[in-house]
Amino acid sequence: YGFYDECKRRHSIKLWRKFGDVFNTLPVAAIIEDKIFCMHGGLSQELVDLNEINAIKRPCDVPDEGLLCDLLWSDPDAESSGWKESDRSVSFTFGGDVL
């Protein structure tokens, strides 16, 4: 969504790769005060127990599918229900009924 192009235009592809290295080491999700579940993207059909997130070995590259991919790239969709393939060709969208 433009980040690669901006890094390339303003600095270098090497800088973009460094960002990737940093992102690959960051925590995948966090739980705040046992109330708020935070992640970059959204939910995953594969997530049954929050302890599964702790089992994800970091640093790692993000796979094209699965739990890690979904936590980073799935999107909520207020207009739909259930799970649907994302228009972005990565992960899924999910409706409010999934919550």
Side-chain angles (χ1 to χ4, degrees):
Y1 292 121
F3 185 63
Y4 171 83
D5 292 329
E6 186 171 346
C7 285
K8 182 178 171 185
R9 187 178 77 252
R10 291 181 179 216
H11 301 284
S12 67
I13 295 172
K14 183 178 179 182
L15 176 65
W16 177 79
R17 286 190 183 114
K18 290 291 183 192
F19 270 106
D21 292 343
V22 170
F23 293 151
N24 289 342
T25 63
L26 293 173
V28 176
I31 298 175
I32 301 170
E33 295 186 7
D34 292 324
K35 295 179 184 177
I36 302 168
F37 181 45
C38 299
M39 74 296 273
H40 176 271
L43 302 175
S44 175
Q45 298 176 73
E46 296 187 17
L47 184 63
V48 177
D49 185 301
L50 292 178
N51 289 318
E52 293 175 76
I53 297 170
N54 292 331
I56 298 171
K57 303 286 187 226
R58 301 290 275 166
C60 68
D61 291 329
V62 179
D64 293 333
E65 59 186 26
L67 177 60
L68 178 57
C69 177
D70 294 341
L71 291 172
L72 296 175
W73 296 114
S74 68
D75 294 307
D77 183 355
E79 303 298 318
S80 68
S81 63
W83 298 94
K84 294 194 171 53
E85 285 193 34
S86 174
D87 293 339
R88 296 190 297 157
S89 299
V90 64
S91 192
F92 299 90
T93 60
F94 56 93
D97 61 316
V98 169
L99 301 174

